[in-house]
Amino acid sequence: MDAFKAWPGRAESIVISQESYMRCTGGVAPWRRDGDKGPSYYAVCPLCDNPIQIVGLFRRQEESRAHRPYGRHHRGDVPGLCRYDEDAYLHCPYADPNHRTDTRARRHPKDQTGRALYGLMRGEFDRVTLAWERFSGIHLGPGAARDMLRNETFRLRGLLGRDDGQQAFDDLTLDIDQDWLPHTADAQPGRDERLLDIARETLQSDAGIPADQ
């Protein structure tokens, strides 16, 4: 995987690099563990909250162009950081690239990352929507915004007026600003209460989680 987060229970995904890892962890315990063969560096999977080991974080200069650091699941506890959950690992898309996620599935209400995601979407949904529109160039109306909350992922296909129903171009890839939340907050002087009401109503009814949690 090419992303990590520093702590479990956070709704974040940070691109792995030497700079971002050191900025978020300082390269010290509990993320760094020293052994007989030297230090190992750990973080948390952004999807399943399990520990991951960062591979190739400090490569020699002549190797750095050909290889990028990456994360792989560590099937064991990392004391002081997080505990390993076998069931979460087996259902993690990063653990199996061929894994197919049921888009109707919901995280358990007691899941720390799930609660963080629900809190983020309830409290910042207008800015989430603004970030999506800036990255994709596609406006979300109220109906599409509700669909975004219920499905969390959705596929787009552009036909550009073709009558044969064939896809007109390759799948859309979005380059996401890792600091999108503060950047959208700076770009939006006021809050969109309509979208915030949609988020509170939809997530409370679909997830069964009280709006103040």
Side-chain angles (χ1 to χ4, degrees):
M1 71 187 75
D2 62 358
F4 76 99
K5 60 184 178 182
W7 293 105
R10 290 184 176 179
E12 66 181 7
S13 180
I14 303 166
V15 175
I16 297 175
S17 70
Q18 181 177 326
E19 293 76 15
S20 64
Y21 183 84
M22 294 301 293
R23 181 180 70 249
C24 294
T25 71
V28 298
W31 300 276
R32 170 175 169 157
R33 301 181 67 189
D34 294 318
D36 296 338
K37 296 183 179 180
S40 297
Y41 298 92
Y42 296 89
V44 180
C45 175
L47 295 184
C48 73
D49 271 9
N50 271 312
I52 61 174
Q53 183 173 2
I54 309 298
V55 180
L57 188 63
F58 297 102
R59 295 185 183 275
R60 295 193 304 270
Q61 183 64 32
E62 61 269 20
E63 296 179 330
S64 61
R65 294 182 181 178
H67 304 280
R68 296 182 60 184
Y70 64 93
R72 66 185 180 198
H73 281 90
H74 174 73
R75 300 181 73 173
D77 297 346
V78 176
L81 181 58
C82 61
R83 301 185 64 179
Y84 174 69
D85 183 323
E86 178 76 8
D87 184 64
Y89 166 77
L90 293 175
H91 289 85
C92 180
Y94 280 146
D96 178 4
N98 296 317
H99 177 81
R100 293 294 180 265
T101 301
D102 182 356
T103 59
R104 298 168 300 177
R106 293 290 186 272
R107 287 179 180 266
H108 192 281
K110 293 183 179 180
D111 177 271
Q112 292 184 29
T113 299
R115 294 181 70 85
L117 286 169
Y118 279 120
L120 175 68
M121 295 301 276
R122 277 196 301 268
E124 305 289 347
F125 186 58
D126 57 334
R127 290 171 177 162
V128 172
T129 302
L130 176 60
W132 159 258
E133 293 181 350
R134 293 174 71 183
F135 299 145
S136 69
I138 300 172
H139 174 68
L140 288 179
R146 285 191 178 90
D147 289 341
M148 174 191 248
L149 288 166
R150 292 190 173 115
N151 299 325
E152 315 221 11
T153 134
F154 53 92
R155 297 177 62 85
L156 299 174
R157 172 167 292 182
L159 302 179
L160 300 181
R162 293 180 61 157
D163 295 329
D164 55 9
Q166 296 298 311
Q167 187 169 351
F169 48 81
D170 292 336
D171 291 343
L172 178 67
T173 299
L174 303 181
D175 294 322
I176 304 300
D177 175 8
Q178 294 298 314
D179 294 320
W180 64 269
L181 184 56
H183 288 171
T184 50
D186 293 341
Q188 181 175 280
R191 306 304 301 272
D192 189 329
E193 293 298 331
R194 178 190 60 170
L195 289 174
L196 292 174
D197 287 342
I198 288 174
R200 285 189 286 263
E201 174 189 349
T202 302
L203 293 180
Q204 183 176 6
S205 60
D206 285 6
I209 300 177
D212 59 350
Q213 295 186 15

